[in-house]
């Protein structure tokens, strides 16, 4: 682990659950804003978390139960000076569910900034999300919802023909529920080119014992650059204090990570940030949120796909603009007051990919020129965070080369659908 000079004590602690970039980007935000090292608690260590200057890692072991994780968190809290506050954060749906299930055990020891279970279950379900958007006049893609808990009933719609032409997209309504399923051919997002593909997907889900809701959606055409990401924070007192939107340039394309942004450009997207704020206010949301949006190139309509009830894996695209995500949760939960709303418009190129690789997939000449300009002066890669040691900088290079090989294998050239 790289050595670093002792930092001033910020007066509070931060514990982040989970490993990988999900937690690294959060610990970078706190290190950059407060000069502090967070504590990462995970079952299986990832070397980037063990090598970073931004955190210390507590490893529980692959087979550790949720109860063991709860006990480890309580033990950590017992080592703190009495009265010293600590934030408990995470960035994965399953871990958000963990915190909610053990809220009574954890709340005496940690500041928890997330929505209660009833709201969480409602928002984590993509079908519920679409219904809320419709009530607020926020556009969503045309969707058919299939409830697999009713499979085999006379009026079940799982065998019905879809009301639009192919290709279309399929995905589970609730990713946390779906994550526990294991079967051959499992994907995060399904690109379905025929009615036979739909029938095969339905069959596989039934055979795997899936009992949740599954969404089939009309495919909005366009490559990855029609996608948008919005990161927001709404305080425990009901004020949206942070809004930041970005245009996706290139997403990951391996089956288990399809749709996950890997390169983005931040900027001014007022219609998106306004809609996000209206949604969060309407459901009385608390904490960090991340919205996925696609702009229909045929109409210009901005279609909201889902709300992830967490900050999102690539949240460093916010911190890199100069607006630390850490500040918003600290001011709210540790210091106990709201700050003035910040709508980020500063342009920054966030990328965990080599810039040359990103440029290869951008077909719009004006956007390509803009990316080239930003790459010269405003390029942000969390693996190249300046205080990090030699290992992390070498990892950035090796990771970039691995991505080049992956894209050659699974997405060798841009397509009109992004698949």
């Amino acid at each position: 682990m790289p050595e670093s000079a002792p930092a001033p004590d910020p007066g509070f602690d931060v514990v982040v659950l989970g490993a990988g970039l999900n937690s690294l980007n959060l610990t970078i935000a706190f290190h950059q804003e407060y000069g502090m090292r967070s504590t990462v608690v995970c079952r299986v260590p990832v070397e980037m978390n063990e090598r970073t200057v931004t955190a210390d890692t507590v490893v529980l072991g692959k087979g550790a139960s949720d109860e063991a994780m709860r006990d480890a968190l309580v033990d950590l809290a017992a080592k703190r000076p009495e009265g010293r506050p600590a934030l408990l954060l995470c960035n994965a749906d399953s871990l958000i569910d963990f915190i909610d299930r053990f809220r009574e055990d954890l709340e005496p020891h940690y500041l928890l900034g997330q929505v209660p279970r009833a709201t969480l279950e409602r928002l984590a379900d993509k079908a519920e999300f679409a219904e809320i958007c419709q009530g607020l006049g926020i556009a969503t893609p045309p969707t058919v919802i299939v409830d697999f808990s009713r499979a085999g009933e006379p009026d079940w719609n799982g065998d019905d023909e879809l009301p639009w032409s192919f290709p279309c997209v399929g995905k589970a309504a609730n990713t946390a529920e779906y994550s526990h399923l294991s079967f051959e051919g499992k994907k995060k997002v399904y690109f379905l080119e025929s009615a036979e593909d739909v029938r095969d997907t339905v069959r596989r889900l039934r055979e795997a014992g899936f009992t949740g809701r599954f969404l089939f959606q009309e495919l909005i055409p366009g490559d990855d650059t029609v996608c948008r990401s919005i990161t927001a924070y709404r305080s425990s007192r009901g004020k949206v204090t942070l809004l930041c939107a970005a245009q996706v340039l290139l997403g990951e394309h391996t089956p288990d990570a399809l749709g996950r942004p890997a390169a983005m450009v931040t900027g001014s997207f007022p219609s998106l940030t306004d809609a996000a704020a209206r949604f969060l206010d309407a459901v009385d949301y608390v904490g960090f949120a991340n919205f996925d949006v696609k702009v229909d190139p045929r109409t210009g309509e901005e279609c909201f796909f889902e709300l992830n009830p967490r900050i999102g894996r690539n949240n460093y695209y916010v911190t890199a603009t100069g607006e630390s995500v850490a500040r918003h949760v600290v001011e709210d939960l540790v210091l106990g007051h709201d700050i003035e709303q910040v709508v980020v418009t500063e342009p920054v190129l966030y990328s965990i990919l080599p810039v040359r690789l990103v440029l290869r997939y951008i077909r719009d000449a004006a956007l390509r020129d803009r990316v080239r300009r930003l790459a010269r002066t405003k390029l942000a890669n969390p693996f190249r965070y300046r205080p990090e040691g030699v290992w992390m900088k070498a990892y950035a290079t090796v990771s970039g080369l691995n991505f080049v090989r992956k894209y050659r294998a699974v997405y060798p050239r841009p397509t009109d659908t992004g698949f």
Side-chain angles (χ1 to χ4, degrees):
M1 183 178 292
E3 295 182 0
S4 58
D9 183 2
F12 62 92
D13 295 325
V14 175
V15 177
V16 181
L17 299 180
L21 195 58
N22 275 342
S23 54
L24 179 66
N25 276 337
L26 274 172
T27 62
I28 288 174
F30 283 94
H31 187 270
Q32 181 170 298
E33 184 71 11
Y34 301 103
M36 67 185 295
R37 293 174 72 96
S38 303
T39 300
V40 169
V41 178
C42 62
R43 289 183 172 88
V44 180
V46 174
E47 198 165 5
M48 69 173 73
N49 302 115
E50 296 184 301
R51 297 275 190 165
T52 179
V53 301
T54 68
D56 300 303
T57 305
V58 175
V59 179
L60 303 179
K62 184 177 181 180
S65 66
D66 284 353
E67 288 74 18
M69 182 179 286
R70 175 203 59 196
D71 294 344
L73 291 171
V74 173
D75 289 344
L76 273 177
K79 298 175 183 177
R80 293 199 312 269
E82 187 175 352
R84 182 180 176 89
L87 291 163
L88 180 60
L89 304 172
C90 67
N91 199 12
D93 292 343
S94 59
L95 292 171
I96 289 171
D97 180 67
F98 161 82
I99 290 176
D100 192 75
R101 284 191 293 115
F102 292 101
R103 183 182 289 268
E104 289 186 6
D105 299 313
L106 299 172
E107 209 156 30
H109 309 287
Y110 293 95
L111 299 169
L112 309 178
Q114 66 181 51
V115 293
R117 174 175 287 275
T119 307
L120 183 64
E121 290 177 347
R122 187 181 181 202
L123 297 179
D125 191 298
K126 297 176 180 65
E128 292 277 357
F129 173 79
E131 291 167 4
I132 297 169
C133 283
Q134 289 169 10
L136 295 171
I138 298 173
T140 59
T143 301
V144 168
I145 302 168
V146 177
D147 185 349
F148 277 78
S149 69
R150 299 183 61 243
E153 294 183 12
D155 60 343
W156 186 58
N157 66 339
D159 298 320
D160 294 351
E161 296 291 328
L162 296 176
W164 51 74
S165 59
F166 291 94
C168 72
V169 174
K171 54 190 173 182
N174 189 306
T175 54
E177 181 181 43
Y178 182 69
S179 66
H180 299 297
L181 216 62
S182 178
F183 60 92
E184 185 179 353
K186 180 183 176 182
K187 298 178 182 179
K188 181 183 177 183
V189 180
Y190 296 81
F191 180 67
L192 306 166
E193 300 188 79
S194 66
E196 179 58 34
D197 284 350
V198 173
R199 287 191 291 271
D200 183 62
T201 301
V202 170
R203 177 185 59 78
R204 288 172 182 266
L205 290 167
R206 290 190 68 179
E207 290 176 352
F210 181 62
T211 57
R213 296 200 291 176
F214 197 84
L215 277 61
F216 294 101
Q217 294 180 325
E218 182 179 18
L219 178 69
I220 294 178
D223 58 20
D224 292 355
T225 62
V226 305
C227 299
R228 305 289 184 268
S229 176
I230 310 167
T231 297
Y233 186 84
R234 188 173 187 269
S235 78
S236 57
R237 282 163 297 280
K239 180 177 180 179
V240 178
T241 63
L242 173 66
L243 291 161
C244 180
Q247 178 178 8
V248 177
L249 301 173
L250 185 58
E252 295 190 43
H253 282 264
T254 53
D256 61 339
L258 186 63
R260 182 188 290 167
M264 293 182 277
V265 172
T266 59
S268 179
F269 301 89
S271 58
L272 293 178
T273 51
D274 288 350
R278 283 194 291 119
F279 185 99
L280 296 175
D281 284 338
V283 300
D284 197 20
Y285 192 87
V286 176
F288 287 110
N290 179 250
F291 293 87
D292 291 335
V293 184
K294 288 185 79 171
V295 179
D296 192 329
R298 301 165 298 188
T299 62
E301 187 174 52
E302 296 165 339
C303 293
F304 279 60
F305 274 71
E306 64 182 321
L307 179 149
N308 300 298
R310 48 188 166 78
I311 193 171
R313 181 173 185 264
N314 296 288
N315 62 83
Y316 187 65
Y317 79 81
V318 185
T319 300
T321 68
E323 186 55 43
S324 174
V325 295
R327 186 171 74 98
H328 291 265
V329 66
V330 169
E331 295 283 344
D332 175 25
L333 299 183
V334 178
L335 302 180
H337 62 82
D338 291 337
I339 56 179
E340 289 300 312
Q341 185 181 95
V342 176
V343 181
V344 176
T345 59
E346 180 73 15
V348 164
L349 170 59
Y350 166 89
S351 181
I352 58 174
L353 309 174
V355 174
R356 284 186 180 180
L357 177 65
V358 177
L359 289 171
R360 186 194 306 168
Y361 288 85
I362 300 176
R363 297 184 287 183
D364 179 85
L367 180 59
R368 195 184 305 115
D369 288 344
R370 184 177 182 225
V371 169
R372 285 198 184 99
R373 290 195 301 272
L374 288 171
R376 288 194 289 269
T377 57
K378 294 185 177 182
L379 176 61
N381 182 334
F383 301 132
R384 297 188 182 279
Y385 176 52
R386 190 178 297 275
E388 294 286 15
V390 174
W391 186 92
M392 194 70 79
K393 292 175 174 59
Y395 178 84
T397 301
V398 173
S399 174
L401 293 173
N402 285 336
F403 271 120
V404 170
R405 286 192 285 269
K406 287 180 183 179
Y407 280 90
R408 283 176 177 168
V410 300
Y411 189 59
R413 61 186 63 82
T415 69
D416 291 335
T417 61
F419 287 91

